Amino acid sequence: SGNSSIDDQARGQQAEEQHLGNSKRKGKERLAVVLIIGIIVIAVVMVIYHASPSVRLSRQISLGNSDLEEQEYQEAIAAFKSALAIEPSSEKAKEQLGNAYQSWSNSDMAAGNYETAIKTLQAAKTDLPDRDFSDQVIEVYTSWTQSYIDAGDYDTALKTLQRAQTDLPDQDFSEQMINIYSEWTQHY
């Protein structure tokens, strides 16, 4: 009976150790499951956050601003258009899109690419119908006309102003045309 008591004790201790081992294993398994669930929850939150329209809008505007700063006008315009596709009523995206078009037009005008500058402003008007670009268009036509006057090509200067009058029917270029005729006749 003494041996049986020791055997019972040994079996009891083995059972207790086995139970403790099982408990530790189950605890580790539970911890692993909690960690995996936590990682999944964080991943889902991150995906939802980065997919949210406000975050995507902000990213596109930042990208466009960066492109604009680097004078990458086509890329900036594409980024601002993408921003407007995300949020069509974004005033910031509209404002920056207009600024990108104006900067591109100014760059073309400074390089003497007047035709391209006009086309850029026409595209701006198409993309931003509520915004008035007529002052910028007048500036391009005025510079373009002046380049012909400076070269002594009065005929082409007048044709350029006639085209401006066609493109901007609400504007009156008659005084500028008279000045060109006057200057032209003084040189001949």
Side-chain angles (χ1 to χ4, degrees):
S1 124
N3 273 343
S4 124
S5 162
I6 292 176
D7 286 341
D8 286 343
Q9 255 184 342
R11 275 191 291 249
Q13 193 172 4
Q14 269 183 336
E16 202 173 302
E17 287 174 7
Q18 194 175 22
H19 177 70
L20 283 174
N22 287 342
S23 291
K24 285 182 181 179
R25 196 171 356 101
K26 286 183 182 178
K28 287 180 182 179
E29 288 173 359
R30 285 187 193 132
L31 179 60
V33 168
V34 168
L35 285 175
I36 290 170
I37 290 172
I39 290 170
I40 291 170
V41 167
I42 290 170
V44 168
V45 167
M46 294 296 289
V47 167
I48 290 171
Y49 172 76
H50 286 288
S52 75
S54 64
V55 171
R56 288 184 11 248
L57 174 67
S58 179
R59 259 188 286 162
Q60 286 301 316
I61 290 174
S62 292
L63 177 63
N65 286 336
S66 180
D67 289 334
L68 189 54
E69 194 173 295
E70 297 294 322
Q71 298 179 353
E72 298 291 340
Y73 302 116
Q74 288 177 308
E75 290 83 354
I77 288 167
F80 295 130
K81 283 182 173 184
S82 291
L84 286 170
I86 294 165
E87 181 54 59
S89 63
S90 171
E91 289 303 318
K92 184 68 173 174
K94 288 178 186 178
E95 176 185 338
Q96 290 304 92
L97 178 59
N99 291 341
Y101 274 121
Q102 280 184 267
S103 294
W104 192 9
S105 175
N106 290 342
S107 175
D108 285 334
M109 187 171 63
N113 300 325
Y114 300 106
E115 184 76 38
T116 305
I118 294 293
K119 287 179 181 176
T120 297
L121 292 170
Q122 289 169 339
K125 186 63 180 163
T126 299
D127 287 342
L128 298 166
D130 296 339
R131 187 159 175 186
D132 184 14
F133 291 95
S134 57
D135 288 344
Q136 290 78 23
V137 174
I138 291 169
E139 183 181 348
V140 173
Y141 274 118
T142 300
S143 294
W144 198 0
T145 301
Q146 189 61 49
S147 73
Y148 287 121
I149 292 170
D150 293 346
D153 188 351
Y154 299 102
D155 184 47
T156 306
L158 283 171
K159 288 178 183 173
T160 302
L161 274 184
Q162 289 168 341
R163 179 176 166 190
Q165 188 67 67
T166 301
D167 285 353
L168 299 162
D170 295 340
Q171 300 297 320
D172 184 9
F173 293 95
S174 58
E175 186 176 323
Q176 289 166 297
M177 287 182 190
I178 290 169
N179 290 339
I180 292 172
Y181 277 121
S182 173
E183 194 171 324
W184 193 357
T185 57
Q186 289 175 2
H187 282 84
Y188 292 101

